[in-house]
Amino acid sequence: QVHLVESGGGLVQAGGSLRLSCGVPVRTFSSYHMGWFRQAPGKEREFVAAITWSGGSIYYADSVKGRFTISRDNAKNTVYLQMNSLKPEDTAVYYCAAAPPGTLGFRVSGSYEYWGQGTQVTVSL
């Protein structure tokens, strides 16, 4: 069982920034596609961003495009989510997830094999 470890969440005012990190303790991290999802109270878990194993392809939800940036450092087994211009509607628990090689449905939570425990992001007015 692989446990991903997220960090970097917290409370920030609207317009502020946060950077989430996710450590992936597997030797084959560089072969996994990585994604970020979020879940607000009373809502379904939703796709935020994804990056392929090489970083060659990146995908964003329309709601975060232009404000969030996903990146990865394969040497550090870490994926990041830089969040700028945060809005109150970005408030949610954010989860990182790892999808095995061959995955095509990056926007679908069912494509991901491993998940982190989540980190809370709260954006106040």
Side-chain angles (χ1 to χ4, degrees), residues 24 26-32 34 72-74 77-79:
V24 185
V26 291
R27 284 180 296 174
T28 54
F29 168 75
S30 61
S31 67
Y32 279 79
M34 298 299 299
R72 65 188 296 160
D73 185 338
N74 286 346
N77 280 28
T78 302
V79 62

Side-chain angles (χ1 to χ4, degrees), residues 67-121:
R67 300 187 298 122
F68 290 12
T69 302
I70 188 172
S71 61
R72 65 188 296 160
D73 185 338
N74 286 346
K76 295 183 178 179
N77 280 28
T78 302
V79 62
Y80 304 97
L81 185 68
Q82 177 67 43
M83 306 186 294
N84 298 329
S85 302
L86 282 161
K87 304 175 181 179
E89 51 263 45
D90 294 318
T91 295
V93 177
Y94 283 71
Y95 298 89
C96 71
T103 298
L104 296 177
F106 298 110
R107 299 175 185 269
V108 180
S109 61
S111 298
Y112 293 81
E113 186 173 358
Y114 304 117
W115 290 83
Q117 80 288 351
T119 186
Q120 177 70 47
V121 171

Side-chain angles (χ1 to χ4, degrees), residues 17-42:
S17 299
L18 283 174
R19 188 173 86 151
L20 305 183
S21 300
C22 175
V24 185
V26 291
R27 284 180 296 174
T28 54
F29 168 75
S30 61
S31 67
Y32 279 79
H33 310 301
M34 298 299 299
W36 286 95
F37 288 75
R38 66 187 182 186
Q39 187 167 18

